[in-house]
């Protein structure tokens, strides 16, 4: 089956992702644009679409480039001759009976220049994306997906990582810590584009789970180079197993990636029954290959009809605990907000407060058939005694999330791994299926040593906080610039803050409750400036300012 989009459908599709074709943007402006509309879409030949810079349309949000494609039908089989498992046999039968769409019209994009490529012989109906010399020179084909967005369903991978230097990280951690990259991830999600990236040391016993947020924007495989191929095979088979009318409906309504993620996670080995799917074991940061159940995925994908597709949860923050730089945490320009998207929200716990809360709404969620969803809120990861979710109405449209400071805990289902992240999932249900959850993550700094105690009012308060990274420890330098001190907090007999005493490489200093340094000449305003020297980790330095 080949998906076809009318111009009206294309405009509506791109407007939903925050993109509008360059043709529409340029109407009446007289400005040049990349790729004239008269050139038409890129037509696939011999199982490939060749991306050329001149054929790309310049779009609005973030300066992204749109590749419009046309993929003629072929008589290629859905799977290669070597695919002989139970899931593959079922998929072949569904295709033979005309009950499954196959991969006609689906794209596959390899972004590591063949290092870990999905073989064309394994899934012959997939159309492979290739880039010409000019786009390769511009590195539009390499690493994180982002520069180019396609108007067809797409799966892809890049078995690469930043392996050396101070800022080593997997591509998922890079994507989630790059400034403003969250919008690109969300646009890809709405466009039905899912990439697979290895975790590459970001989800291992030495440092635990270093991925700063749980999101539905990509799939992360356990391991390094080549570990992503089983996940690509699973994604290709899910797309192929969907009924033709269901697949068209999902793509036109920007529900393809959310539904594929739901099918993938609902079919994981640890996700036994509905309760399993509503737990953290079905929504990990990283998916090991031995949890993939192709038979279950094909069955579930093919059972979906347009009427039984759940909606995509859309999140928004109505209120949350605020923190003041220079008093509650240190580092000018730093924020506790990592990103906000309708599908995933992430926060960093920088403040010294013991308790924080937020009120989250899912009132923007819309069912494509106009039905009224109900919502379930679940703690997927974190200490359940210190993480509380209180729905504020009968349908679960709004909820208050309250968290107390908590220590690292084992990753659900992976006792050898530790995690400093709390995850909340919000599931929408309109019929037989729970949706892919909207995800809310709060990352606690694993390198800090904090001590809290009860104050005179019976409430927990900060007693001391050591920001130095311990020997053998790790702090992501992108998120947590280095600081070389320990603060000990002071209170009067009634519990009112008097400030703190700072112990560090420059000796001992005293600060008042307003964050001013106490000196013999009176209070001195101190700025905590984040310096980013070349070839060195960012660090927080103190600079005195006259009051």
């Amino acid at each position: 089956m080949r998906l076809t989009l009318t111009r009206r459908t294309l405009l509506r599709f791109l407007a939903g992702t925050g993109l509008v074709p360059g043709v529409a943007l340029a109407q009446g402006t007289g400005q040049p644009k990349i790729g004239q509309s008269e050139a038409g879409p890129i037509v696939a030949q011999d199982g490939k679409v060749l991306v050329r810079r001149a054929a790309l349309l310049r779009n609005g949000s973030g300066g992204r480039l749109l590749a419009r494609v046309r993929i003629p039908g072929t008589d290629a089989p859905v799977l290669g001759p070597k695919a002989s498992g139970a899931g593959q046999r079922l998929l072949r039968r569904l295709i033979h009976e005309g009950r499954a769409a196959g991969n006609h019209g689906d794209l596959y994009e390899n972004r590591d220049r063949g290092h870990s490529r999905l073989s064309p012989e394994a899934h012959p109906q997939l159309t492979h994306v290739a880039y010409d010399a000019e786009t390769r020179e511009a590195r539009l084909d390499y690493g994180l997906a982002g520069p180019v967005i396609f108007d067809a369903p797409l799966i892809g991978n890049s078995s690469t990582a930043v392996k050396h230097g101070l800022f080593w990280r997997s591509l998922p951690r890079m994507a989630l810590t790059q400034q403003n990259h969250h919008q690109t991830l969300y646009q890809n999600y709405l466009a039905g584009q899912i990439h697979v990236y290895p975790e590459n040391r970001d989800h291992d016993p030495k440092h635990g789970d270093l991925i700063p947020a749980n999101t539905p924007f990509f799939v992360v495989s356990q391991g390094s180079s080549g570990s992503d191929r089983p996940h690509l095979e699973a994604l290709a088979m899910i797309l192929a197993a969907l009924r033709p009318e269901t697949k068209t409906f999902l793509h036109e309504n920007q529900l393809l990636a959310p539904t594929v993620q739901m099918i993938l996670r609902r079919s994981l080995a640890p996700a036994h029954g509905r309760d399993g799917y509503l737990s953290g074991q079905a929504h990990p940061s990283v998916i090991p290959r031995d949890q993939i159940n192709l038979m279950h995925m094909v069955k579930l994908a093919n059972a979906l009809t347009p009427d039984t597709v759940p909606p995509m949860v859309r999140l928004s923050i109505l209120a949350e605990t605020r923190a003041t730089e220079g008093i509650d945490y240190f580092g000018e320009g730093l924020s506790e907000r990592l990103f906000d998207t309708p599908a995933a929200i992430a926060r960093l716990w920088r403040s010294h407060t013991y308790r924080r809360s937020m009120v989250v709404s899912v009132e923007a969620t819309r069912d494509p058939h106009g039905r009224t969803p109900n919502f379930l809120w679940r703690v997927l990861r974190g200490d359940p005694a210190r993480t509380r979710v209180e729905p504020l109405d009968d349908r679960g449209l709004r909820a208050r999330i309250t968290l107390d400071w908590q220590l690292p805990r084992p990753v659900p289902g992976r006792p050898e791994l530790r995690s400093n992240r709390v995850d909340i999932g919000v599931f929408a249900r309109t019929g037989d299926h729970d949706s892919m959850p909207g995800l809310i993550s709060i990352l606690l700094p694993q390198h800090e040593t904090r001590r809290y105690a009860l104050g005179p009012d019976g409430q927990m308060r900060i007693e001391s906080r050591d920001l130095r990274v311990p020997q053998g420890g790790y702090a992501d330098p992108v998120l947590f610039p280095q600081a070389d001190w320990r603060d000990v907090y002071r209170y009067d007999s009634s519990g009112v803050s008097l400030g703190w005493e700072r112990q560090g490489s420059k000796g001992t200093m005293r600060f008042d409750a307003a964050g001013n340094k106490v000196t013999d000449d009176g209070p001195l305003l101190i700025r905590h400036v984040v310096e980013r020297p070349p070839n060195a980790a960012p660090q927080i330095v103190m600079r005195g300012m006259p009051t």
Side-chain angles (χ1 to χ4, degrees):
M1 181 197 74
R2 181 174 67 87
L3 293 175
T4 58
L5 293 178
T6 65
R7 179 171 175 79
R8 172 178 289 183
T9 304
L10 178 63
L11 288 169
R12 184 179 64 187
F13 169 81
L14 291 166
T17 64
L19 298 171
V20 179
V23 176
L25 283 178
Q27 284 180 349
T29 65
Q31 296 298 317
K33 53 190 178 293
I34 296 179
Q36 301 294 321
S37 62
E38 291 81 0
I42 305 169
V43 180
Q45 294 182 346
D46 300 323
K48 295 181 180 180
V49 291
L50 180 62
V51 177
R52 296 174 293 107
R53 192 67 181 254
L56 298 175
L57 301 173
R58 176 71 69 182
N59 291 279
S61 180
R64 299 194 67 184
L65 301 168
L66 169 66
R68 297 178 57 202
V69 300
R70 184 166 66 84
I71 305 172
T74 72
D75 58 359
V78 69
L79 295 169
K82 295 182 180 180
S84 58
Q88 288 92 339
R89 293 197 301 272
L90 175 59
L91 178 59
R92 283 196 181 96
R93 178 166 63 82
L94 293 170
I95 294 289
H96 177 73
E97 295 172 355
R99 296 163 54 193
N103 289 126
H104 291 301
D106 297 338
L107 298 174
Y108 165 62
E109 180 189 34
N110 175 262
R111 299 191 58 82
D112 56 31
R113 298 184 175 174
H115 178 60
S116 179
R117 188 188 303 277
L118 191 63
S119 168
E121 292 75 22
H123 300 271
Q125 291 179 0
L126 285 175
T127 299
H128 288 231
V129 176
Y131 290 82
D132 71 0
E134 182 183 5
T135 53
R136 286 169 62 89
E137 179 68 23
R139 296 179 70 84
L140 298 185
D141 68 315
Y142 192 77
L144 275 176
V148 181
I149 191 166
F150 295 82
D151 69 347
L154 180 144
I155 62 172
N157 70 308
S158 183
S159 204
T160 60
V162 180
K163 296 183 177 181
H164 307 290
L166 291 168
F167 300 99
W168 63 270
R169 64 200 53 237
S170 65
L171 292 190
R173 183 153 61 114
M174 177 189 293
L176 297 175
T177 54
Q178 276 188 359
Q179 189 172 11
N180 298 324
H181 193 71
H182 60 277
Q183 186 64 28
T184 295
L185 295 172
Y186 181 59
Q187 289 169 352
N188 288 352
Y189 190 56
L190 294 185
Q193 302 183 185
I194 307 177
H195 288 78
V196 185
Y197 305 114
E199 52 83 21
N200 197 72
R201 295 194 296 156
D202 276 352
H203 194 258
D204 293 317
K206 183 176 182 180
H207 295 305
D209 187 350
L210 295 178
I211 297 175
N214 198 349
T215 81
F217 300 137
F218 39 67
V219 174
V220 187
S221 62
Q222 182 69 49
S224 53
S225 296
S227 65
D228 44 9
R229 285 198 290 273
H231 304 67
L232 284 169
E233 180 180 9
L235 295 177
M237 290 182 62
I238 290 171
L239 289 176
L242 291 167
R243 300 183 186 190
E245 66 276 14
T246 304
K247 192 172 185 180
T248 299
F249 175 83
L250 291 173
H251 192 243
E252 290 183 348
N253 287 275
Q254 300 177 343
L255 291 172
L256 186 60
T259 304
V260 169
Q261 284 278 22
M262 180 272 286
I263 294 168
L264 174 68
R265 293 159 185 259
R266 181 65 183 81
S267 304
L268 294 178
H272 302 297
R274 189 184 183 206
D275 288 343
Y277 179 65
L278 299 176
S279 75
Q281 291 206 57
H283 305 283
S285 308
V286 173
I287 297 176
R289 63 179 298 171
D290 60 3
Q291 293 186 3
I292 295 173
N293 187 327
L294 295 177
M295 183 71 165
H296 196 171
M297 291 176 188
V298 170
K299 284 183 177 180
L300 180 55
N302 193 251
L304 284 176
T305 68
D307 290 339
T308 60
V309 169
M312 187 188 84
V313 175
R314 295 178 182 268
L315 306 165
S316 63
I317 297 287
L318 300 182
E320 62 184 316
T321 301
R322 301 292 183 180
T324 302
E325 192 280 322
I327 298 176
D328 301 316
Y329 70 93
F330 306 101
E332 291 183 358
L334 300 181
S335 170
E336 293 197 305
R337 176 183 177 272
L338 185 56
F339 60 78
D340 286 294
T341 73
I345 290 169
R347 295 292 183 265
L348 306 173
W349 196 322
R350 300 189 190 277
S351 170
H352 65 61
T353 186
Y354 175 78
R355 177 170 294 166
R356 62 188 303 143
S357 67
M358 60 176 67
V359 177
V360 182
S361 168
V362 292
E363 293 168 289
T365 303
R366 295 291 180 267
D367 180 79
H369 298 290
R371 297 167 295 191
T372 301
N374 289 312
F375 298 91
L376 295 170
W377 300 69
R378 292 289 186 270
V379 177
L380 302 177
R381 180 179 295 197
D383 187 340
R386 296 170 182 264
T387 307
R388 298 171 294 282
V389 181
E390 176 191 359
L392 300 178
D393 55 83
D394 292 340
R395 286 179 51 205
L397 290 169
R398 294 173 296 119
R400 178 179 292 107
I401 300 170
T402 304
L403 300 97
D404 295 341
W405 179 263
Q406 47 197 271
L407 297 176
R409 291 176 61 84
V411 170
R414 301 289 302 275
E416 76 280 13
L417 295 177
R418 311 290 284 182
S419 171
N420 271 65
R421 203 181 67 230
V422 178
D423 292 340
I424 311 294
V426 192
F427 300 81
R429 188 177 181 93
T430 53
D432 297 334
H433 301 286
D434 298 293
S435 70
M436 175 66 203
L439 293 165
I440 303 148
S441 298
I442 302 93
L443 181 69
L444 292 80
Q446 66 172 353
H447 65 285
E448 287 190 18
T449 302
R450 299 188 184 191
R451 181 175 180 271
Y452 293 92
L454 285 173
D457 59 356
Q459 300 298 312
M460 298 292 285
R461 66 185 187 185
I462 187 71
E463 294 287 319
S464 64
R465 178 185 185 188
D466 196 334
L467 282 79
R468 296 169 294 193
V469 180
Q471 185 71 29
Y474 178 76
D476 187 338
V478 175
L479 299 178
F480 300 106
Q482 293 180 356
D484 68 345
W485 64 76
R486 173 178 181 264
D487 290 335
V488 179
Y489 290 80
R490 301 177 294 112
Y491 303 90
D492 67 16
S493 58
S494 63
V496 175
S497 173
L498 297 176
W500 58 90
E501 182 178 274
R502 177 161 295 172
Q503 304 161 353
S505 59
K506 296 183 179 180
T508 301
M509 310 176 190
R510 294 186 66 186
F511 290 78
D512 62 25
N516 299 310
K517 181 181 177 182
V518 178
T519 72
D520 293 339
D521 298 324
L524 177 66
L525 177 64
I526 294 293
R527 295 177 57 204
H528 294 83
V529 179
V530 179
E531 291 188 344
R532 305 181 187 276
N535 303 316
Q539 53 188 328
I540 303 174
V541 297
M542 292 177 283
R543 293 179 180 169
M545 299 287 291
T547 56

